[in-house]
Structure formats: C-alpha cells, structure tokens
Amino acid sequence: MVSLQIVKQSNAGIASLPHGLVVLFIGATSGIGQSALQSFARHAPSPRIYTVARPSTFASHESLLASLRQSNPTATYKLVEADVSLVSEVDKAVNRIIEEETKIDILFMSAGFMALEGRKDTSEGLDPSMSTRYYSRLRAVQLLLPLLNKAPSPRIVSVLAGGLEGPLNEQDLDLRDPNNWSSWNSSVQATTMATLMLEKIARENPRLSIVHWYPGPVDTPGLAKIQKFGMSFPNPMSQEEAGERAVFFTTSDRYAVQEGLLPVPAGLEVAKKSGGGIFLLNPQGESTDNEAVLDEMRRRGVDEVVWNFSQKVFTACNVQARESKDEL
Ligand SMILES: NC(=O)c1ccc[n+]([C@@H]2O[C@H](COP(=O)([O-])OP(=O)(O)OC[C@H]3O[C@@H](n4cnc5c(N)ncnc54)[C@H](OP(=O)(O)O)[C@@H]3O)[C@@H](O)[C@H]2O)c1
C-alpha cells in the first residue's frame, strides 16, 4: 500500500514538472475528478487545463476555475461545454481541443454514475451510465491518440473499477435486452469493456501509460446518491485523499511505461502492468491481477469484437446527431 504521506510528498513535486503540460479532465465538475483537478492545478507550472462541464454544472464549475486561477495564476483554463453522456458531444468537445493543441500530456477521466433509478436512455439510445463510464471515455481516448502520441510522456487515467472486470455479455454488449440490463450488469459490462479497450490501445501505442483505477468507496456526491438507495459504505476514503491519490497515479513514474514525469518514490518500484499492458490499480495504488477473467477473453479476441461494436455505436451516434441538426 502506498501511504498517503508518500503520495503527498510526490505530489509536492508537481511544481517541478515540465512547463506547459496540456491536460484534459472529463468528470472534474464533482467528486474525485474535482479534487484531482484542484490538487493538480494548485502547483503545476503553466499548465493548459481543459475541463468539460454539461450545462447544468457549467456555472458552478466556472466558479471553481475562477478560484483555481487565483491560487495558480500561471495556469490557463479552458472550460468546454459538453454532456459526455452523448458520444457526439464528446466528438465536438474533443475536436475543439484538437484544433487548438498540438499535443495532450494527460487525459483524466472520471465521469460516470451507477444507474440505480433504472435505465433511461439518452437521445442516442445508450444507457448514460454506460456511455459516461465506457463509450464516451473510449471515444475521447480514440480521438486524442494522435495528440497523446505527440507528448513526451503521455498518460491516461480512468477512474472506475480496474481489477473488478467480470464475465461479459458478448451477445448483447450494450445490454439492450431489458432482461440483460441491471445497474450492476451495466457496471460490470462498462468496466470490462473499458479494460479490454484500454489494453488494446496500450498494445498499439506503446509509449502511452494507462491507469485504470478502482478507488473503492469514496465520500463524494456520487456515493451520497448511491447511499440514498439504502447501500452503506463504512469508512469511505475522503474525496480529498482520493484526489491526491489520483494525482499521484497521474504524475508519478511509478505508473509509467517510461520515465518523464515525477520520479518513483524511494523504496517503491514501478508498478506491475496487467497481462494486457495497463496499470490496474486497487484503492491504495497497488497493481491488481484479474487475469482469470481477462486472459481468456484476450485469447479469444473478444477485444476486437468489442472494438468493432463500439465503432459502430460511435458512427450511429454521429450520424444521428447530424440528422437531428439537419432537421432543425
Ligand atoms: N465514489 C465512489 O465511491 C466510487 C467508487 C468506485 C467507482 N467510482 C466511479 O468513479 C467515477 C467518479 O466517481 P465520483 O464519486 O467522483 O462521482 P461524482 O462525484 O458523482 O462525479 C461524477 C462526474 O460524472 C459526471 N456525470 C455523472 N452523471 C452524468 C450524466 N448523466 N451525464 C453527464 N455527466 C455525468 C458528473 O457531472 P455533473 O457534475 O454535471 O453531475 C461528474 O463530473 C465514477 O465513474 C464512479 O462510478 C466511484
């Protein structure tokens, strides 16, 4: 277990990171992502930080950015309006960033929720708990790959449930049949597809360091919503600690395929990667092993099936978005 003290010591070195890192946060309007943004932005030297908010949280996020501007005037913030439960909105937001930047150093993704109120599809016909936790994240990664590959030490961090992958419903990948869908099944499906896709991307882009973190229960607005459904989580991690830990996974070379950001703390070694080449981390930042589930799926080429399916979903979402724009 990496102690919080080591995490904080490492994070104190953020001020010595290269100037001008370009960072995109998706999900920083609340919870773990928000604390990670606050912790990173406080000390990073002249970063260019993009962050995404949907209309309902745009104003409050703008206020947060105003306070961050005061604490670190060297940083530049660009707030992009997009509802990331819609794949076509991710396309629009990311394409705007691609127009402005020549590289992306860090992509941090933590949008998502558990659909305990049942499945209420988006206008694109997707379960938003799956689009925020899987489709939109994969789409952002896919579109940003050229820019990530231009950064000296690119890193992707996805906060969800790395290591908790389970059997995939391969016949109904988006759980369209109501008999296949439940809030739990959609969580396992999103997590498993996410890990398979992040591993495929890691194999095809060997300079990319990719972290998929399971934070365990964290005391966030997201957890508070779940608790209203009668679930209880004794001793959750504080949101601030989760933010600090997330920033450690984002900036320490302990979770990197090559050196380039902050050195591995004394007494620790580079974390072990999954069989598919990414860092699957438990709440305390140690590598977890879910080979019993993942190895068999990799050998059967399930990742290619999931990739092809996801590409068809992305095409359909963008075709539909164009058609509804034409109708206006
Ligand atoms: N907290 C935990 O105990 C825990 C444990 C394991 C895994 N996780 C996962 O870790 C991630 C971060 O969790 P958190 O607790 O920090 O969550 P949170 O406080 O609820 O924040 C979630 C983020 O996702 C966005 N989001 C939620 N629903 C959305 C929707 N329908 N459409 C568009 N955006 C939406 C939120 O945007 P708005 O601010 O606009 O609502 C916010 O930016 C989530 O994927 C969660 O499933 C959390």
Side-chain angles (χ1 to χ4, degrees):
M1 157 168 176
V2 186
S3 73
L4 185 58
Q5 190 190 4
I6 290 179
V7 166
K8 285 185 172 169
Q9 274 165 3
S10 177
N11 291 351
I14 285 174
S16 66
L17 280 171
H19 283 243
L21 291 181
V22 182
V23 185
L24 169 58
F25 284 88
I26 300 178
T29 53
S30 171
I32 300 167
Q34 184 179 86
S35 287
L37 167 64
Q38 286 170 306
S39 165
F40 178 82
R42 210 171 299 130
H43 302 299
S46 320
R48 281 205 299 288
I49 296 178
Y50 288 84
T51 172
V52 175
R54 52 181 168 164
S56 53
T57 40
F58 192 87
S60 62
H61 200 49
E62 208 162 38
S63 310
L64 175 84
L65 297 183
S67 70
L68 291 179
R69 268 186 201 101
Q70 291 195 333
S71 65
N72 179 0
T74 73
T76 309
Y77 298 96
K78 297 196 179 177
L79 176 50
V80 182
E81 186 175 300
D83 178 346
V84 296
S85 66
L86 297 171
V87 171
S88 55
E89 293 256 313
V90 173
D91 275 55
K92 258 197 299 187
V94 168
N95 282 327
R96 202 191 120 184
I97 297 166
I98 292 171
E99 275 170 24
E100 291 186 26
E101 298 294 342
T102 53
K103 62 152 188 165
I104 292 276
D105 296 282
I106 293 168
L107 171 59
F108 187 98
M109 301 179 292
S110 59
F113 68 104
M114 268 192 94
L116 293 167
E117 290 169 342
R119 178 171 178 153
K120 294 177 190 159
D121 281 0
T122 65
S123 56
E124 292 174 341
L126 297 176
D127 161 13
S129 84
M130 284 184 72
S131 59
T132 48
R133 292 180 295 179
Y134 170 65
Y135 293 109
S136 289
R137 295 190 192 196
L138 174 63
R139 187 60 175 164
V141 171
Q142 184 185 358
L143 292 176
L144 286 170
L145 277 175
L147 263 61
L148 284 160
N149 277 316
K150 285 191 186 138
S153 310
R155 180 101 39 120
I156 295 172
V157 175
S158 190
V159 182
L160 187 56
L164 299 189
E165 300 77 8
L168 205 56
N169 186 331
E170 295 172 34
Q171 282 67 50
D172 186 11
L173 283 172
D174 66 350
L175 306 179
R176 185 131 312 273
D177 182 339
N179 294 321
N180 294 334
W181 191 92
S182 69
S183 63
W184 181 250
N185 288 353
S186 68
S187 299
V188 175
Q189 197 86 348
T191 298
T192 308
M193 294 203 286
T195 291
L196 288 174
M197 292 304 90
L198 291 173
E199 288 187 339
K200 174 180 159 67
I201 283 161
R203 285 194 298 274
E204 293 171 358
N205 299 270
R207 290 179 54 257
L208 256 181
S209 303
I210 303 184
V211 172
H212 182 181
W213 182 38
Y214 170 60
V218 179
D219 194 5
T220 63
L223 190 74
K225 280 181 206 150
I226 294 175
Q227 283 170 322
K228 283 191 189 146
F229 287 84
M231 294 184 213
S232 76
F233 302 90
N235 307 317
M237 190 186 290
S238 74
Q239 185 179 304
E240 289 67 31
E241 176 173 345
E244 293 291 343
R245 288 189 179 277
V247 168
F248 178 59
F249 309 144
T250 306
T251 54
S252 173
D253 286 344
R254 184 168 197 243
Y255 307 101
V257 295
Q258 70 208 340
E259 291 176 4
L261 295 180
L262 297 175
V264 180
L268 296 180
E269 292 178 347
V270 173
K272 188 171 169 282
K273 295 195 294 268
S274 69
I278 65 172
F279 298 95
L280 291 176
L281 301 183
N282 73 11
Q284 287 75 32
E286 297 301 347
S287 300
T288 60
D289 182 345
N290 201 358
E291 289 302 295
V293 170
L294 294 169
D295 181 52
E296 185 267 338
M297 281 196 270
R298 285 186 212 114
R299 279 192 282 112
R300 282 195 298 113
V302 177
D303 44 2
E304 291 307 324
V305 176
V306 174
W307 176 265
N308 292 335
F309 178 81
S310 306
Q311 297 311 307
K312 284 188 191 140
V313 169
F314 298 157
T315 304
C317 290
N318 281 306
V319 167
Q320 197 225 36
R322 267 196 306 275
E323 283 173 358
S324 38
K325 202 170 143 205
D326 289 346
E327 278 167 19
L328 293 176

